[in-house]
Amino acid sequence: MTENTGPHTAGSEYAEPFLLAVLASGGLDAEYVRGERNTLYRRGENGEEVPVTDFVGGYGSLMLGHNHPEINAYAKELLDGGTPVHAQFSRHPYANDVAAALNRIVQRERGDDESYYAIFANSGAEANEAAMKHAELDRGLRLAALAEEIDGHITEVTVRVADGTAVLPAGSADSVEELAAEVRRRNEAQFARPPLFLVPEGGFHGKLAGSVQLTHNEGYRLPFRALAAQARFVPRDQPGALRKIVEEERAKVLDLTVEGGEVQLVERDFPLFTAFVLEPVLGEGGIHELTPAFAQEVQQVCAETGIPLVIDEIQTGMGRTGTFLAATRLGLKGDYYTLAKSLGGGIAKAAVMLVRRPLYRGQFELAHSSTFAKDSFSCLVALKVLELLEAGDGAVYRTAAERGERMLAMLRAVRDEFPEVVKDVRGRGLMVGLEFHDQSEAAAEPLRQVARSGFFGYFVAGHMLRAHRIRVFPTSSAVNTLRFEPSVYLTDEEIGRLETSLRDVCAIIRDTDGGSLAPVA
């Protein structure tokens, strides 16, 4: 029998002990006991609650803040009413309501009547995996149809040569059987090629076996390279780079036709690319918004080549950048959209993959499933979230844009005061980043050590937490960039507290040896 040691197990750490040690090294191993709006509360030395202003926002999951009272009250009502969480393989009208609401919103933002079917999931990474799998299923079915069509043509040509209604061209194979065998041999090599995905450099789409291969950061991707389809990463600042990559990887298969009574060997396009997957604003890659020029090139190339476009709105969507979809401002229109994070209102694990109706493959619903997806609780909470976002003709979206501009203005003022410390400020709405100059060659040895540790942003975040009760984190693939993703209820006072903490950090980097950024052991 295992001894029950109460709410905190005594002795060794068993829950991700390495990560806990990393957090401790940066002074970030705080335990939070309560949250509301943009505030988390940690327990002080005497047991009192210590407020911490939270600019992490659940990595974009808290558009409506911690413990939104309407969402919590509704969740309690659902649970008290015994709403079924496990009623798989049955009718789910609440899921259909979420899908219908999302269709209305997406159609409004796209400015068309394109409709989407929905596959539900528990997390953003799972929604991305669903999009990857559906796109590959679609590609596989198109490949099968192409192979069947070519095989039919080969059979037809063989019959026509045999009955004398078609002849082989001069200088070709000695027999139609030999020509057919060569076509099949060369096509088999092409059909055996593994698929490829296209992703912008700096992209991040999760850490599951498939989605991690779409993540540009090699530290996350390369250890698992053998497990899933690979990606070609496209430079965002090189016009024409996408077209060049597509041309380099362009694949052809051979087909036989008859023209004017003569057999012709023709090339057919082979769909090697499963999809192009992108975030309108690169989150973990350092808060970089795609340029309109790059977005236009992606849209054009995908349309010309028939490559499906998957728009990952998991961190950028739900109004965070001032519109429900961050792709709206860029004019991007996806064949797929993935949504999660704030869709769950900060309490439910809700995610969805939307796929454009003409591309939809119904058999995917039997090939892909998830135990907790599409349940009553998460779907009804998601509906409440959408209701709150859309209320007042989208007042939340306008507030996000206004509050974001106020935060950006403050960050730009800090940059202008400390140009030797702050390299850039960027972002849109309530998804903003501040990038520090690389300090790995700083004159002061303590500052150089912090910068060369690979955890610079985490040490900065630790100082801001200890000294100012401000909670921030760097982006995972660009650790010199701090990310700020608070809720729409961000106040001027909270922005002021962030400003004070950043000015302190910048002064430490500029004026001292930087030793105070690392916690005292």
Side-chain angles (χ1 to χ4, degrees):
M1 176 180 288
T2 303
E3 182 181 357
N4 186 345
T5 59
H8 297 285
T9 304
S12 301
E13 291 287 343
Y14 297 100
E16 300 184 352
F18 179 80
L19 178 59
L20 183 62
V22 171
L23 292 174
S25 72
L28 294 166
D29 56 334
E31 178 190 353
Y32 298 100
V33 296
R34 188 165 65 88
E36 59 183 359
R37 292 212 168 190
N38 289 311
T39 303
L40 282 169
Y41 294 88
R42 60 183 299 180
R43 191 72 71 193
E45 293 182 359
N46 298 320
E48 76 282 10
E49 287 188 343
V50 178
V52 174
T53 306
D54 181 21
F55 281 88
V56 178
Y59 300 116
S61 298
L62 295 170
M63 183 64 180
L64 298 175
H66 292 278
N67 290 307
H68 189 285
E70 283 190 59
I71 296 173
N72 279 11
Y74 185 53
K76 291 176 183 176
E77 179 185 327
L78 292 173
L79 294 174
D80 288 344
T83 192
V85 173
H86 294 285
Q88 301 93 333
F89 232 65
S90 64
R91 183 171 178 79
H92 296 261
Y94 30 80
N96 191 62
D97 290 343
V98 174
L102 288 172
N103 265 277
R104 289 192 295 271
I105 297 170
V106 171
Q107 286 169 355
R108 181 193 68 219
E109 296 231 339
R110 287 173 54 107
D112 58 30
D113 59 356
E114 192 77 69
S115 58
Y116 288 79
Y117 288 125
I119 299 293
F120 287 80
N122 304 296
S123 69
E126 187 184 335
N128 281 338
E129 294 259 334
M132 294 172 68
K133 287 173 64 178
H134 186 281
E136 178 56 21
L137 174 66
D138 176 62
R139 189 187 80 96
L141 292 172
R142 286 185 285 124
L143 284 178
L146 177 61
E148 183 178 0
E149 182 182 352
I150 292 174
D151 195 59
H153 290 167
I154 291 173
T155 300
E156 179 185 354
V157 166
T158 301
V159 170
R160 292 192 60 177
V161 170
D163 65 17
T165 59
V167 296
L168 296 178
S172 66
D174 293 335
S175 68
V176 69
E177 290 78 14
E178 181 181 326
L179 180 60
E182 177 63 12
V183 168
R184 288 193 171 101
R185 184 187 65 79
R186 292 176 61 178
N187 284 353
E188 283 175 3
Q190 289 287 38
F191 277 92
R193 291 181 65 180
L196 291 174
F197 287 86
L198 291 163
V199 186
E201 288 184 350
F204 177 92
H205 300 282
K207 295 180 181 178
L208 300 182
S211 59
V212 76
Q213 295 308 322
L214 310 185
T215 294
H216 190 222
N217 187 324
E218 292 185 349
Y220 299 139
R221 174 168 48 88
L222 291 186
F224 313 104
R225 179 180 175 84
L227 294 180
Q230 303 303 297
R232 288 291 305 271
F233 293 96
V234 182
R236 308 188 311 274
D237 57 353
Q238 298 177 20
L242 174 57
R243 291 186 182 277
K244 182 180 179 182
I245 290 173
V246 170
E247 284 300 319
E248 288 174 349
E249 298 287 357
R250 185 180 291 276
K252 300 284 187 178
V253 290
L254 299 177
D255 197 359
L256 294 179
T257 64
V258 176
E259 295 182 12
E262 185 176 88
V263 176
Q264 300 292 320
L265 188 66
V266 298
E267 290 185 333
R268 302 278 300 275
D269 285 331
F270 176 83
L272 179 65
F273 291 105
T274 298
F276 194 119
V277 186
L278 61 79
E279 307 158 272
V281 182
L282 304 182
E284 304 304 330
I287 316 295
H288 292 275
E289 186 175 22
L290 299 185
T291 65
F294 181 77
Q296 183 179 17
E297 182 178 357
V298 169
Q299 194 85 70
Q300 288 177 346
V301 172
C302 286
E304 293 167 6
T305 57
I307 299 172
L309 177 58
V310 179
I311 300 182
D312 176 348
E313 292 271 7
I314 289 159
Q315 192 167 172
T316 60
M318 306 298 296
R320 180 155 293 279
T321 65
T323 49
F324 184 81
L325 300 172
T328 299
R329 178 184 168 275
L330 296 170
L332 278 171
K333 295 186 176 183
D335 297 299
Y336 298 78
Y337 293 94
T338 54
L339 292 158
K341 291 189 181 287
S342 287
L343 184 63
I347 59 172
K349 295 177 175 66
V352 67
M353 179 270 281
L354 301 176
V355 53
R356 197 162 57 86
R357 183 183 295 201
L359 273 65
Y360 188 66
R361 301 286 189 170
Q363 56 267 56
F364 183 75
E365 298 172 26
L366 299 178
H368 177 89
S369 63
S370 178
T371 298
F372 282 89
K374 205 170 62 169
D375 67 282
S376 170
F377 179 77
S378 64
C379 287
L380 290 170
V381 167
L383 273 174
K384 172 60 72 173
V385 170
L386 295 175
E387 173 190 317
L388 293 169
L389 293 179
E390 292 284 296
D393 195 27
V396 165
Y397 311 141
R398 296 190 295 275
T399 302
E402 184 275 324
R403 292 285 77 196
E405 279 302 313
R406 172 70 182 86
M407 183 166 55
L408 273 170
M410 177 274 288
L411 294 174
R412 289 169 183 144
V414 172
R415 176 197 61 193
D416 292 345
E417 183 177 344
F418 297 93
E420 63 276 80
V421 176
V422 179
K423 181 178 180 180
D424 194 19
V425 170
R426 53 186 176 261
R428 184 167 297 277
L430 295 171
M431 186 174 180
V432 177
L434 180 146
E435 181 180 2
F436 293 100
H437 284 290
D438 181 17
Q439 300 295 330
S440 59
E441 300 301 326
E445 176 63 20
L447 184 56
R448 282 202 309 275
Q449 289 182 356
V450 168
R452 293 176 180 180
S453 69
F455 295 98
F456 177 80
Y458 291 98
F459 282 115
V460 169
H463 173 83
M464 293 171 69
L465 179 61
R466 295 191 306 275
H468 299 279
R469 298 179 185 173
I470 295 289
R471 185 171 188 256
V472 297
F473 284 138
T475 58
S476 64
S477 297
V479 294
N480 285 348
T481 299
L482 296 182
R483 101 210 21 239
F484 309 101
E485 296 185 82
S487 83
V488 73
Y489 303 111
L490 180 67
T491 66
D492 286 344
E493 181 186 6
E494 289 166 340
I495 293 173
R497 278 190 238 131
L498 176 62
E499 180 178 12
T500 298
S501 67
L502 286 172
R503 290 183 185 277
D504 176 41
V505 163
C506 288
I508 289 171
I509 294 172
R510 182 189 64 186
D511 301 335
T512 77
D513 65 5
S516 62
L517 293 179
V520 178

